[in-house]
Structures are given as structure tokens and as C-alpha cells.
Amino acid sequence: MEPKSVSTKQERIAELARQNPRMAFTSLNHYLDEAWLLRAYDLTRKDGAVGVDGQDAKEYACNLEANLRNLLERLKSGRYCAPAVRRHFIPKADGGQRPLGIPTFEDKVAQRAIVMLLEPIYEQTFHDCSFGFRSGRNAHQALRHMRNRIMEESGKWVLDIDLRKYFDSIDHAKLRILLAKRVVDGTVRKLIDKWLNAGVMEGGQLHYPTAGSPQGGVISPILANVFLHYALDEWFAKVVKPRLSGRASLTRYADDFVMVFENACDALKVWNVLPKRMQRFGLELHEQKSRLVDFRYWRPHRDGWHQQLATTFNFLGFTHLWGVSRRGNYVVMQRTAKDRLARTLKAITDRCRWMRHDPMREQHRRLCAMLKGHFAYFGITGNSRSLRLVHFYAERAWHKWLCRRSQKSVIPWRNFRDVLKLMPLPPAHIVHRYTVASEPMA
């Protein structure tokens, strides 16, 4: 009954937000109770990395009721102190490193509890063009949305935008002003301030950043969405689109976004003003990764000759280009981006090398899990060739590193085919089937 009571409260908050789109919520903390925190605990990942205190979910659960009761009292009384986050770096596709801030487990539960208060409000506020870190929305919906806008609205010009170090650049003062448009509850706002000002532990040194919201925190995604909602989405919908001569659309997934325009003059106009708009909120466009793309195509002439001069662009791991469907229509195709494909092939090679001395069944299980995960995301209509390449490469890489376990372990390819019959790798297959949104544009 407890999860139901929590969902009932969230529905009540959502209904108030929907009926009063301009209302700022002055009282939210009274929804916090033991059932609410228990639900927050259930929704918190139990296998995540530990924070600065070294406590994991298993240790916290040993005395769960008392821990949650104590946490609730500290949250509502204002005595809760946000612990420092542990800095960890993961490699990026461009060779750089992405900084993550890992909170303690209890801090994750506390942040989840506040996110559960904010989500019902902002789900009524956010625009349909926003897909990242929202319940019931995912990257494939963003890809489909952008593709359909191009097909249905004669999209010929694309602004492919990348924000430089977005999560590290969020201005705390501006974020507070934007949050105040909908949330002014003192308890909730003070907790958010504590998380924004929490220290960062890196290499044994503690420092306090003056901007940004650490990636890896539970509350960071919704704060990042709130910031870009007002800095970008709301501005594009209410200020930009009414002033354009043709149709235009925005598709955003977290800090990655693409704008599609019907007319070149509209695209140039927004391209010139967008950096100034971002600078007003302390954000900066990445010069090398942000560009204006000519995404036009030409249909065949009467003499049968035709020319296709479309320029491609990348979004959410896919390269987008014009192609011809089986019916002979021009459609937007989505193929695995070269850098993502290269990263996948390297990961397969590394995995086969590291596990070459493990039992064959274990190697097969891990490799299958890796391929299924790849196909689950990149298995999109029109991307069969890239999927088959990954499957082909996985078989060769597995065979190569099995042959290198020792000088006596060389396996002829014909014998390895027998192994593949007993332990086949998952075949390349399409998971997300896209239909053509409309007839080809005139």
C-alpha cells in the first residue's frame, strides 16, 4: 500500500501543477514521510559506486527503518548536511575524460526523495521536445521525433549544437532564479542549495565548485533539464518560432540538441543569435562540434538525372543522412556514427583479450550480453549493415583471442564454426522499426 500512497501524492502534485501552470509551490516538504523515503530507497540503484563514506546499499539496509527515520528527521528539520561527492573520471569518445560526482548512498536516497517531489511539477512544465532524463521518455523517442519533424516539415537546414562542459557550467544563481518560478518551498530549496554547494573530493583534496551540478548525482539531471528548459526550450517555443518565416523544430536530449528549419534564412538567423542567448545563462557553444548543416536533397528531374548533396550530422550516436527506401522514396536514414562504431569494435577486442583464459561458457555469456546491449540501442531501421559488421567482427575477435591463450590453443576456423554452432552469438537484428512519417517532400 505504501508505493500506492506515494503515487497518489505525486498525482495530486501533478494535478495542481497542471491546473496552475504559473503557480509556485510554497509547501512540498509535508509530503515527505517514511513511506516516501522508503519508496525513494526502492528506486535508488543498489549496485552503484560508493561515496566518500564507503557505505554501500547492503550496509545501509542492515538497519533500514532506523536509518530512514533518522534521515527524514534531518531532512525536515534542516539539520541534513550534504556530504562531499567523490570525483571519478570516465573516458569520453573524443579522447577526453568526463568527470562524475558520486554521492554517498544515503545522499542518493535523499536526492531521490526530492526528485520525486519535483518530477510531477516539471513534467507538466517541460515541452514535448525534451526527452533526456524524463520518465517514459528515451533516446529513441528523441531520434524518432527529430526524424519525423524533418520528414513532415520539409526540414532542409539543421543546427547541430554541442554545449561545452554543460553540467560544469550551470550558474547556481541563475538556476535558483529559474527554480523559483515553480518551487519556493524553503526546505526543498535549502536542500538543493546544499547539494549544489557540496564539496568535491578529488585525489584526497576537498574543493567547493562555484558553478555546475555534478554528473552522477541523482538530482543533477532534473536540475539540468530545468535550466535548459528556460534557457532554450521556452525561448525557442515562445520567442524564436513566432518570428520565423517557415517551420522549425527543436529536439533535445539532456544537453544534446538539434534544431531543424525549413528555410535557410531562419537557420542563419538563429545560428547568429544562439551563442548570445547561451552566454546570457553562462553557457558556451563548442566551436568545433556546433555547426550549421545543409540537409537539402534534390529529387530526380524529367531527364532521369538527379543530384543528392545532403550533408550528414550526428545526434545521439547516429549519423543522419538522406537515403532511398525500398519503395524508392527519399527518407532520413540513421546509421551508427563512425566514432561510436570504432569504440564498440575496440571494446569487443578488449573484452575478448581480457577474458580469453576464462571458461568458454563464461566468455560466451559476456560476449552475448555485450552484443545484445549494442543491438538494443543501435538496432534501428536502416542500420542493418553496421549491426552485421559488429556481429562479424565479434566472431573474428573471439576466435583471434582464443587462439592466443597459448601456443597449443590454435583453433582452425572450421573447428571454431562448430563452437559457434554450440554457442552462437546473438544475430544482428532490428529492434526499433521506424515507419516513414510522410511522403517524400516536394
Side-chain angles (χ1 to χ4, degrees), residues 337-373:
K338 290 183 178 179
D339 60 335
R340 296 294 294 270
L341 182 60
R343 194 195 317 174
T344 297
L345 299 183
K346 183 180 183 301
I348 290 174
T349 296
D350 293 341
R351 176 63 59 87
C352 291
R353 182 176 71 248
W354 294 334
M355 68 180 183
R356 65 185 183 275
H357 297 296
D358 294 342
M360 289 289 291
R361 292 290 180 185
E362 180 64 17
Q363 293 188 43
H364 177 256
R365 184 188 66 80
R366 292 181 181 178
L367 199 53
C368 285
M370 194 173 189
L371 290 177
K372 288 179 181 178

Short mmCIF file of all heavy atoms in Angstrom, two decimals, residues 337-373:
data_model
loop_
_atom_site.label_atom_id
_atom_site.label_comp_id
_atom_site.label_asym_id
_atom_site.label_seq_id
_atom_site.Cartn_x
_atom_site.Cartn_y
_atom_site.Cartn_z
N ALA A 337 27.18 6.04 -35.86
CA ALA A 337 28.25 7.01 -36.12
C ALA A 337 29.61 6.31 -36.09
O ALA A 337 29.82 5.35 -35.34
CB ALA A 337 28.21 8.12 -35.07
N LYS A 338 30.54 6.80 -36.90
CA LYS A 338 31.84 6.14 -37.04
C LYS A 338 32.58 6.05 -35.71
O LYS A 338 33.20 5.01 -35.42
CB LYS A 338 32.69 6.89 -38.06
CG LYS A 338 32.20 6.74 -39.50
CD LYS A 338 33.14 7.45 -40.47
CE LYS A 338 32.67 7.25 -41.90
NZ LYS A 338 33.57 7.96 -42.87
N ASP A 339 32.54 7.11 -34.91
CA ASP A 339 33.27 7.06 -33.64
C ASP A 339 32.64 6.07 -32.67
O ASP A 339 33.36 5.36 -31.95
CB ASP A 339 33.34 8.45 -33.01
CG ASP A 339 31.97 9.04 -32.73
OD1 ASP A 339 31.00 8.64 -33.41
OD2 ASP A 339 31.87 9.90 -31.83
N ARG A 340 31.31 5.97 -32.67
CA ARG A 340 30.66 5.00 -31.79
C ARG A 340 30.93 3.58 -32.27
O ARG A 340 31.09 2.66 -31.46
CB ARG A 340 29.15 5.26 -31.75
CG ARG A 340 28.78 6.60 -31.15
CD ARG A 340 29.15 6.67 -29.67
NE ARG A 340 28.37 5.75 -28.88
CZ ARG A 340 27.21 6.05 -28.31
NH1 ARG A 340 26.69 7.27 -28.47
NH2 ARG A 340 26.57 5.18 -27.58
N LEU A 341 30.94 3.36 -33.59
CA LEU A 341 31.23 2.04 -34.12
C LEU A 341 32.66 1.64 -33.78
O LEU A 341 32.91 0.50 -33.36
CB LEU A 341 31.02 2.04 -35.63
CG LEU A 341 31.23 0.71 -36.36
CD1 LEU A 341 30.28 -0.35 -35.82
CD2 LEU A 341 31.04 0.87 -37.85
N ALA A 342 33.61 2.56 -33.96
CA ALA A 342 35.00 2.25 -33.63
C ALA A 342 35.17 1.94 -32.15
O ALA A 342 35.93 1.03 -31.77
CB ALA A 342 35.89 3.43 -34.04
N ARG A 343 34.45 2.68 -31.31
CA ARG A 343 34.53 2.43 -29.87
C ARG A 343 33.99 1.05 -29.51
O ARG A 343 34.53 0.34 -28.67
CB ARG A 343 33.74 3.50 -29.12
CG ARG A 343 34.03 3.52 -27.63
CD ARG A 343 33.00 4.31 -26.85
NE ARG A 343 32.63 5.56 -27.51
CZ ARG A 343 31.66 6.35 -27.06
NH1 ARG A 343 30.97 6.00 -25.98
NH2 ARG A 343 31.38 7.47 -27.69
N THR A 344 32.90 0.64 -30.19
CA THR A 344 32.32 -0.68 -29.94
C THR A 344 33.27 -1.79 -30.36
O THR A 344 33.46 -2.77 -29.62
CB THR A 344 30.99 -0.82 -30.69
OG1 THR A 344 30.05 0.14 -30.19
CG2 THR A 344 30.40 -2.21 -30.51
N LEU A 345 33.87 -1.66 -31.53
CA LEU A 345 34.79 -2.70 -32.01
C LEU A 345 36.00 -2.81 -31.09
O LEU A 345 36.48 -3.91 -30.82
CB LEU A 345 35.22 -2.39 -33.44
CG LEU A 345 34.09 -2.34 -34.49
CD1 LEU A 345 34.66 -2.10 -35.88
CD2 LEU A 345 33.26 -3.60 -34.46
N LYS A 346 36.49 -1.68 -30.60
CA LYS A 346 37.62 -1.72 -29.68
C LYS A 346 37.22 -2.37 -28.36
O LYS A 346 38.00 -3.15 -27.78
CB LYS A 346 38.13 -0.30 -29.41
CG LYS A 346 39.36 -0.26 -28.50
CD LYS A 346 39.83 1.16 -28.27
CE LYS A 346 41.09 1.19 -27.42
NZ LYS A 346 40.91 0.55 -26.10
N ALA A 347 36.01 -2.07 -27.89
CA ALA A 347 35.54 -2.67 -26.63
C ALA A 347 35.41 -4.19 -26.77
O ALA A 347 35.71 -4.94 -25.83
CB ALA A 347 34.20 -2.06 -26.23
N ILE A 348 34.95 -4.66 -27.93
CA ILE A 348 34.84 -6.11 -28.17
C ILE A 348 36.22 -6.75 -28.15
O ILE A 348 36.43 -7.81 -27.54
CB ILE A 348 34.13 -6.37 -29.51
CG1 ILE A 348 32.65 -5.99 -29.41
CG2 ILE A 348 34.26 -7.84 -29.91
CD1 ILE A 348 31.90 -6.08 -30.72
N THR A 349 37.19 -6.12 -28.82
CA THR A 349 38.56 -6.64 -28.82
C THR A 349 39.11 -6.72 -27.41
O THR A 349 39.70 -7.73 -27.00
CB THR A 349 39.46 -5.76 -29.69
OG1 THR A 349 39.01 -5.82 -31.05
CG2 THR A 349 40.90 -6.22 -29.64
N ASP A 350 38.94 -5.65 -26.64
CA ASP A 350 39.46 -5.63 -25.27
C ASP A 350 38.79 -6.69 -24.41
O ASP A 350 39.46 -7.37 -23.62
CB ASP A 350 39.24 -4.24 -24.66
CG ASP A 350 40.07 -3.16 -25.33
OD1 ASP A 350 41.06 -3.52 -26.00
OD2 ASP A 350 39.73 -1.97 -25.20
N ARG A 351 37.48 -6.85 -24.56
CA ARG A 351 36.77 -7.84 -23.76
C ARG A 351 37.26 -9.25 -24.10
O ARG A 351 37.48 -10.08 -23.19
CB ARG A 351 35.27 -7.72 -24.02
CG ARG A 351 34.41 -8.77 -23.31
CD ARG A 351 34.50 -8.67 -21.80
NE ARG A 351 34.08 -7.37 -21.33
CZ ARG A 351 32.82 -7.06 -21.04
NH1 ARG A 351 31.86 -7.96 -21.21
NH2 ARG A 351 32.51 -5.87 -20.59
N CYS A 352 37.43 -9.56 -25.37
CA CYS A 352 37.89 -10.89 -25.78
C CYS A 352 39.32 -11.15 -25.29
O CYS A 352 39.64 -12.27 -24.91
CB CYS A 352 37.82 -11.04 -27.30
SG CYS A 352 36.15 -11.09 -27.97
N ARG A 353 40.14 -10.12 -25.28
CA ARG A 353 41.51 -10.29 -24.81
C ARG A 353 41.55 -10.54 -23.30
O ARG A 353 42.27 -11.42 -22.82
CB ARG A 353 42.34 -9.05 -25.16
CG ARG A 353 43.80 -9.17 -24.74
CD ARG A 353 44.63 -7.98 -25.18
NE ARG A 353 44.31 -6.78 -24.42
CZ ARG A 353 43.72 -5.72 -24.93
NH1 ARG A 353 43.36 -5.70 -26.20
NH2 ARG A 353 43.46 -4.66 -24.18
N TRP A 354 40.78 -9.75 -22.55
CA TRP A 354 40.82 -9.87 -21.09
C TRP A 354 40.25 -11.21 -20.60
O TRP A 354 40.73 -11.75 -19.60
CB TRP A 354 40.02 -8.73 -20.45
CG TRP A 354 40.63 -7.39 -20.68
CD1 TRP A 354 41.95 -7.10 -20.92
CD2 TRP A 354 39.95 -6.13 -20.70
NE1 TRP A 354 42.14 -5.76 -21.10
CE2 TRP A 354 40.93 -5.12 -20.97
CE3 TRP A 354 38.64 -5.76 -20.53
CZ2 TRP A 354 40.61 -3.77 -21.06
CZ3 TRP A 354 38.31 -4.40 -20.61
CH2 TRP A 354 39.29 -3.43 -20.88
N MET A 355 39.26 -11.75 -21.30
CA MET A 355 38.58 -12.95 -20.79
C MET A 355 39.03 -14.22 -21.51
O MET A 355 38.40 -15.27 -21.34
CB MET A 355 37.07 -12.78 -20.92
CG MET A 355 36.55 -12.77 -22.35
SD MET A 355 34.75 -12.56 -22.42
CE MET A 355 34.47 -12.69 -24.19
N ARG A 356 40.11 -14.17 -22.28
CA ARG A 356 40.48 -15.32 -23.11
C ARG A 356 40.83 -16.57 -22.30
O ARG A 356 40.76 -17.69 -22.81
CB ARG A 356 41.64 -14.96 -24.05
CG ARG A 356 42.96 -14.63 -23.36
CD ARG A 356 43.97 -14.16 -24.40
NE ARG A 356 45.28 -13.88 -23.86
CZ ARG A 356 45.65 -12.73 -23.31
NH1 ARG A 356 44.77 -11.75 -23.25
NH2 ARG A 356 46.87 -12.56 -22.85
N HIS A 357 41.21 -16.39 -21.03
CA HIS A 357 41.54 -17.55 -20.20
C HIS A 357 40.36 -18.04 -19.36
O HIS A 357 40.48 -19.03 -18.64
CB HIS A 357 42.72 -17.21 -19.27
CG HIS A 357 43.99 -16.89 -20.01
ND1 HIS A 357 44.65 -17.81 -20.78
CD2 HIS A 357 44.71 -15.74 -20.10
CE1 HIS A 357 45.73 -17.26 -21.31
NE2 HIS A 357 45.79 -16.00 -20.91
N ASP A 358 39.23 -17.36 -19.46
CA ASP A 358 38.03 -17.77 -18.71
C ASP A 358 37.39 -18.98 -19.38
O ASP A 358 37.67 -19.29 -20.55
CB ASP A 358 37.02 -16.63 -18.65
CG ASP A 358 37.53 -15.46 -17.84
OD1 ASP A 358 38.49 -15.66 -17.07
OD2 ASP A 358 36.98 -14.35 -17.97
N PRO A 359 36.53 -19.70 -18.67
CA PRO A 359 35.80 -20.83 -19.29
C PRO A 359 35.00 -20.35 -20.51
O PRO A 359 34.51 -19.22 -20.54
CB PRO A 359 34.89 -21.32 -18.17
CG PRO A 359 35.55 -20.88 -16.91
CD PRO A 359 36.22 -19.59 -17.23
N MET A 360 34.86 -21.23 -21.48
CA MET A 360 34.20 -20.87 -22.73
C MET A 360 32.76 -20.40 -22.50
O MET A 360 32.31 -19.45 -23.12
CB MET A 360 34.21 -22.06 -23.69
CG MET A 360 35.59 -22.37 -24.26
SD MET A 360 36.12 -21.12 -25.45
CE MET A 360 34.98 -21.43 -26.79
N ARG A 361 32.04 -21.06 -21.61
CA ARG A 361 30.67 -20.68 -21.35
C ARG A 361 30.59 -19.26 -20.79
O ARG A 361 29.68 -18.49 -21.13
CB ARG A 361 30.01 -21.67 -20.38
CG ARG A 361 29.79 -23.05 -20.96
CD ARG A 361 28.70 -23.02 -22.02
NE ARG A 361 28.46 -24.35 -22.60
CZ ARG A 361 27.63 -24.55 -23.61
NH1 ARG A 361 26.97 -23.53 -24.14
NH2 ARG A 361 27.48 -25.77 -24.10
N GLU A 362 31.54 -18.91 -19.93
CA GLU A 362 31.55 -17.58 -19.35
C GLU A 362 31.89 -16.54 -20.41
O GLU A 362 31.30 -15.46 -20.44
CB GLU A 362 32.56 -17.52 -18.20
CG GLU A 362 32.67 -16.18 -17.51
CD GLU A 362 31.38 -15.76 -16.82
OE1 GLU A 362 30.51 -16.61 -16.59
OE2 GLU A 362 31.25 -14.57 -16.50
N GLN A 363 32.86 -16.85 -21.28
CA GLN A 363 33.19 -15.95 -22.37
C GLN A 363 31.97 -15.72 -23.27
O GLN A 363 31.68 -14.59 -23.67
CB GLN A 363 34.34 -16.52 -23.20
CG GLN A 363 35.67 -16.58 -22.47
CD GLN A 363 36.80 -16.97 -23.40
OE1 GLN A 363 36.90 -16.48 -24.52
NE2 GLN A 363 37.68 -17.86 -22.94
N HIS A 364 31.28 -16.80 -23.58
CA HIS A 364 30.11 -16.71 -24.45
C HIS A 364 29.03 -15.85 -23.80
O HIS A 364 28.40 -15.00 -24.46
CB HIS A 364 29.58 -18.12 -24.73
CG HIS A 364 28.33 -18.14 -25.55
ND1 HIS A 364 27.08 -18.39 -24.99
CD2 HIS A 364 28.12 -17.92 -26.88
CE1 HIS A 364 26.17 -18.34 -25.95
NE2 HIS A 364 26.76 -18.05 -27.09
N ARG A 365 28.80 -16.02 -22.51
CA ARG A 365 27.76 -15.25 -21.81
C ARG A 365 28.07 -13.76 -21.85
O ARG A 365 27.20 -12.93 -22.14
CB ARG A 365 27.66 -15.72 -20.36
CG ARG A 365 26.55 -15.05 -19.57
CD ARG A 365 26.63 -15.41 -18.10
NE ARG A 365 27.83 -14.86 -17.49
CZ ARG A 365 27.95 -13.58 -17.10
NH1 ARG A 365 26.95 -12.73 -17.27
NH2 ARG A 365 29.06 -13.16 -16.53
N ARG A 366 29.33 -13.40 -21.57
CA ARG A 366 29.70 -11.98 -21.54
C ARG A 366 29.63 -11.35 -22.92
O ARG A 366 29.17 -10.21 -23.07
CB ARG A 366 31.10 -11.84 -20.96
CG ARG A 366 31.22 -12.20 -19.49
CD ARG A 366 32.63 -12.01 -18.99
NE ARG A 366 32.77 -12.37 -17.59
CZ ARG A 366 33.92 -12.34 -16.92
NH1 ARG A 366 35.03 -11.97 -17.55
NH2 ARG A 366 33.97 -12.67 -15.65
N LEU A 367 30.09 -12.07 -23.92
CA LEU A 367 30.08 -11.53 -25.27
C LEU A 367 28.63 -11.37 -25.78
O LEU A 367 28.30 -10.39 -26.46
CB LEU A 367 30.88 -12.43 -26.21
CG LEU A 367 31.37 -11.83 -27.53
CD1 LEU A 367 32.12 -10.54 -27.29
CD2 LEU A 367 32.25 -12.81 -28.28
N CYS A 368 27.78 -12.33 -25.44
CA CYS A 368 26.37 -12.23 -25.83
C CYS A 368 25.71 -11.02 -25.17
O CYS A 368 24.94 -10.29 -25.82
CB CYS A 368 25.62 -13.50 -25.44
SG CYS A 368 25.95 -14.92 -26.51
N ALA A 369 26.01 -10.79 -23.90
CA ALA A 369 25.43 -9.64 -23.20
C ALA A 369 25.88 -8.34 -23.85
O ALA A 369 25.10 -7.39 -23.99
CB ALA A 369 25.83 -9.67 -21.73
N MET A 370 27.13 -8.31 -24.27
CA MET A 370 27.68 -7.11 -24.90
C MET A 370 26.99 -6.84 -26.23
O MET A 370 26.59 -5.71 -26.54
CB MET A 370 29.18 -7.29 -25.10
CG MET A 370 29.94 -6.04 -25.43
SD MET A 370 31.71 -6.36 -25.44
CE MET A 370 32.31 -4.67 -25.57
N LEU A 371 26.81 -7.87 -27.04
CA LEU A 371 26.18 -7.71 -28.35
C LEU A 371 24.70 -7.37 -28.21
O LEU A 371 24.17 -6.53 -28.95
CB LEU A 371 26.35 -8.98 -29.18
CG LEU A 371 27.78 -9.27 -29.66
CD1 LEU A 371 27.82 -10.59 -30.40
CD2 LEU A 371 28.29 -8.16 -30.56
N LYS A 372 24.01 -8.01 -27.27
CA LYS A 372 22.59 -7.71 -27.07
C LYS A 372 22.40 -6.25 -26.67
O LYS A 372 21.46 -5.60 -27.12
CB LYS A 372 22.01 -8.63 -26.01
CG LYS A 372 21.83 -10.08 -26.48
CD LYS A 372 21.28 -10.94 -25.35
CE LYS A 372 21.12 -12.39 -25.82
NZ LYS A 372 20.62 -13.26 -24.71
N GLY A 373 23.28 -5.74 -25.82
CA GLY A 373 23.19 -4.35 -25.42
C GLY A 373 23.41 -3.40 -26.60
O GLY A 373 22.71 -2.39 -26.74
#
